[in-house]
């Protein structure tokens, strides 16, 4: 679903998409990167929620090269409904590593579920990257 800059951001921050995750999605080419591991995780969730090839490109660009897949196609049938950030450890603007535990609620037709993940992030060259995560589907 394309996101409007004035709509509420899917990441659940309460801000508009344009002033929240949208500035990272649109600004990556201009050097606007998420300042924390949590902000990157939220922007990646919003990219999954929005879908589309440009969001797949964003996800790949924010994935650490050591663990990044060669390609990524987003499943257009799943609707990402809500993000709950459960715990954040480190991952601040002066850290080099951080973790974020979250629960992402989804719906696909009549099926509903929650993907829980413990995600690891690293900061290199002033930019945060998603490294990997332990996923549990519920």
């Amino acid at each position: 679903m394309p996101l409007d800059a004035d709509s509420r951001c899917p990441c659940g921050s309460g801000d508009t998409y344009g002033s929240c995750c949208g500035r990272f999605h649109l600004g990556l080419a201009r050097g606007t990167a998420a300042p924390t591991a949590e902000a990157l995780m939220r922007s990646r969730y919003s990219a999954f929620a929005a879908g589309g090839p440009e969001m797949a490109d964003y996800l790949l660009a924010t994935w650490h090269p050591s663990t990044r897949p060669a390609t990524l196609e987003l499943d257009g049938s799943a609707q990402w409904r809500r993000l709950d950030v459960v715990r954040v450890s480190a991952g601040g603007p002066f850290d080099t590593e951080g973790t974020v535990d979250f629960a992402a609620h989804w719906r696909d037709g009549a099926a509903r579920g929650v993907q829980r993940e413990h995600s690891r992030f690293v900061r290199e060259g002033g930019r945060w990257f998603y490294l990997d995560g332990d996923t549990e589907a519920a």
Side-chain angles (χ1 to χ4, degrees):
M1 78 178 184
L3 297 173
D4 180 88
D6 294 326
S7 64
R8 180 177 282 184
C9 192
C11 82
S13 68
D15 290 334
T16 64
Y17 171 70
S19 65
C20 191
C21 295
R23 64 191 167 122
F24 304 130
H25 294 164
L26 298 173
L28 190 61
R30 296 188 305 263
T32 304
T36 65
E38 180 182 355
L40 179 59
M41 187 279 307
R42 287 180 175 278
S43 73
R44 289 175 56 83
Y45 169 84
S46 292
F48 277 105
E54 63 281 351
M55 292 299 147
D57 291 345
Y58 176 80
L59 291 165
L60 288 170
T62 58
W63 208 315
H64 194 270
S66 69
T67 57
R68 176 176 45 219
T71 62
L72 180 65
E73 287 189 40
L74 300 180
D75 178 4
S77 64
Q79 295 179 337
W80 295 98
R81 310 296 287 185
R82 187 178 89 227
L83 174 67
D84 298 323
V85 175
V86 177
R87 184 171 59 112
V88 177
S89 177
F94 303 107
D95 294 319
T96 57
E97 297 179 349
T99 62
V100 179
D101 295 349
F102 67 89
H105 302 260
W106 57 269
R107 181 170 30 184
D108 189 349
R112 297 170 190 235
V114 179
Q115 177 178 318
R116 300 175 196 286
E117 184 170 317
H118 173 80
S119 296
R120 295 187 316 146
F121 297 86
V122 294
R123 186 168 168 259
E124 294 179 355
R127 272 188 58 205
W128 283 101
F129 293 92
Y130 170 76
L131 185 60
D132 59 23
D134 292 327
T135 303
E136 169 194 324

